[in-house]
Amino acid sequence: MSITQDRPVSAGEDLARAFTLPASAYVDPSIYDRERDRIFARTWQLVARADELSRVGDLKPATILDEPILITRGLDGKLRGFYNVCRHRAAQVVVAKGNRRSLQCPYHGWTYGLDGRLQVAREMDGTENFDKADFGLVPIRVDQWGPFIFANLDDQAPALSEVLGRIPGEVARAGYDVEKMQLVERRDYVIDCNWKVYVDNYLEGYHLPIAHPGLFKELDYDAYRVETFRYYSKQHAPIRELKPGEEPGRDRRYIRQPGTEEDALYYWVFPNTMFNIYQDNMSSNLILPLGVDKTLTVFEWFFAQPGTGPPSPMRSSRRTSRCASTSSAG
Ligand code: FES
């Protein structure tokens, strides 16, 4: 089997013998611990939106699982990421979003620039072998695609552009200028299951005819396809044309129009980020483990122009169905 970035990966005959992961993968805390180190500490994680860091001086603390990080927009306009850990005694340097010209640690007051350099270390003058240049915040990698800001704790990981592969080009061809997308709505759901349960559910359209008759009406299910790439998968199905007797708005939300994108596109970027592309909106799903058996899902809807249409509940209801009985937030 050949694995390349530029063309779909085929499972070939092996697909006929595919099986699910063993149950222990979903409940064993030691496996979850390994996932933290081997998956989440090595992959691009969606940690912020561009609008949260649009102005010089904007800063946002975030976490990659329980690792505290910090994203800043420096005085030079550059986006940067750091471990949000003071180099003195490891206090968290920034605890809330804001806009500042420097960062003062709340414990002993060491002060850092937005570029991470240590500027002031009070009462340290005269300390032998102490050089402020050696004690800047430790940088991490950050990168951006449209409204989405990602961070990666692994210096050796492939670039974000390599991971996203064809996705930006395909989304652009679907008519989206991601640079101009704006957040319209966010919904969070905490679900009592392992994070992979959610991902597994997202990665199959098998349940569509039964669990989501509303969405089933919109799509040509027989043409539903899944393509797998090195770092992501793409599920897509054509939007159906209007059937005789169907009325737009009453029976159908999406209708295939001449010259428009015909497919609904569902991208899963390994390991825990999804992008859903419909005719009038795109949304992201972020799947954040809170423990081996608890997961936070964050849904955000983006429109080119706010007010062009309501967020569609179809996708979220579809994707939460497997965990709905244990959801604490709906
Ligand atoms: S821990 Fe930050 S200044 Fe001491």
Side-chain angles (χ1 to χ4, degrees):
M1 181 174 68
S2 169
I3 296 177
T4 68
Q5 176 57 36
D6 297 320
R7 58 191 175 83
V9 176
S10 171
E13 293 178 356
D14 290 341
L15 191 59
R17 298 200 298 271
F19 209 75
T20 55
L21 292 172
S24 60
Y26 300 84
V27 296
D28 185 338
S30 69
I31 290 179
Y32 177 61
D33 286 343
R34 285 161 61 195
E35 289 172 345
R36 292 148 60 102
D37 292 339
R38 298 188 187 187
I39 296 178
F40 289 90
R42 297 183 181 181
T43 49
W44 288 98
Q45 293 293 310
L46 182 54
V47 293
R49 293 188 316 274
D51 62 276
E52 297 176 294
L53 291 144
S54 59
R55 299 173 304 158
V56 163
D58 281 348
L59 46 94
K60 180 187 179 184
T63 55
I64 293 181
L65 294 198
D66 54 3
E67 187 67 54
I69 64 165
L70 170 66
I71 312 294
T72 67
R73 177 74 66 185
L75 300 179
D76 56 0
K78 192 171 173 198
L79 193 68
R80 293 181 176 86
F82 306 97
Y83 286 94
N84 190 7
V85 178
C86 183
R87 295 297 304 278
H88 179 223
R89 287 197 185 275
Q92 191 171 324
V93 177
V94 175
V95 295
K97 283 166 67 172
N99 184 280
R100 292 180 222 151
R101 302 188 73 77
S102 61
L103 316 168
Q104 187 176 51
C105 176
Y107 197 176
H108 309 92
W110 281 23
T111 302
Y112 301 88
L114 296 169
D115 58 3
R117 276 189 285 195
L118 180 60
Q119 295 175 332
V120 178
R122 45 180 283 271
E123 301 179 39
M124 293 294 286
D125 290 346
T127 304
E128 196 170 342
N129 298 325
F130 177 78
D131 183 347
K132 288 204 295 283
D134 295 334
F135 291 92
L137 295 176
V138 177
I140 62 171
R141 298 166 73 191
V142 290
D143 207 343
Q144 180 175 348
W145 172 49
F148 308 109
I149 292 175
F150 293 82
N152 196 322
L153 301 179
D154 183 2
D155 288 340
Q156 305 302 314
L160 178 65
S161 58
E162 186 180 344
V163 170
L164 294 179
R166 295 176 179 175
I167 296 175
E170 290 179 351
V171 171
R173 280 193 291 282
Y176 286 94
D177 181 352
V178 292
E179 303 299 330
K180 295 186 176 150
M181 300 301 286
Q182 291 188 30
L183 178 72
V184 173
E185 182 163 337
R186 167 178 171 148
R187 296 181 198 169
D188 292 6
Y189 302 92
V190 175
I191 50 180
D192 293 326
C193 62
N194 183 268
W195 67 279
K196 297 189 295 299
V197 172
Y198 187 95
V199 174
D200 289 349
N201 180 63
Y202 185 93
L203 291 178
E204 50 95 346
Y206 185 41
H207 62 282
L208 194 57
I210 309 302
H212 303 297
L215 182 55
F216 181 62
K217 272 200 301 190
E218 307 279 346
L219 304 179
D220 181 354
Y221 178 74
D222 290 340
Y224 199 107
R225 295 288 178 271
V226 179
E227 296 178 63
T228 52
F229 296 81
R230 177 68 182 89
Y231 299 110
Y232 66 93
S233 76
K234 171 186 173 184
Q235 300 172 77
H236 54 107
I239 304 287
R240 279 201 305 102
E241 291 173 355
L242 211 58
K243 280 185 178 171
E246 284 184 334
E247 275 187 30
R250 186 193 69 183
D251 304 306
R252 295 279 303 281
R253 173 181 171 127
Y254 300 109
I255 298 156
R256 190 191 303 182
Q257 304 286 356
T260 64
E261 171 59 40
E262 293 187 349
D263 282 5
L265 304 171
Y266 308 122
Y267 296 103
W268 169 61
V269 181
F270 182 81
N272 63 330
T273 306
M274 294 92 170
F275 298 108
N276 312 306
I277 314 295
Y278 288 101
Q279 287 175 332
D280 63 352
N281 73 84
M282 66 182 292
S283 61
S284 60
N285 303 158
L286 183 59
I287 312 308
L288 298 170
L290 300 176
V292 67
D293 58 358
K294 194 175 283 288
T295 300
L296 171 65
T297 64
V298 180
F299 299 161
E300 294 188 319
W301 283 268
F302 297 82
F303 284 76
Q305 294 176 338
T308 54
S312 167
M314 290 186 298
R315 190 66 182 170
S316 62
S317 61
R318 173 188 174 197
R319 296 309 180 194
T320 52
S321 62
R322 284 298 176 84
C323 299
S325 62
T326 54
S327 170
S328 63

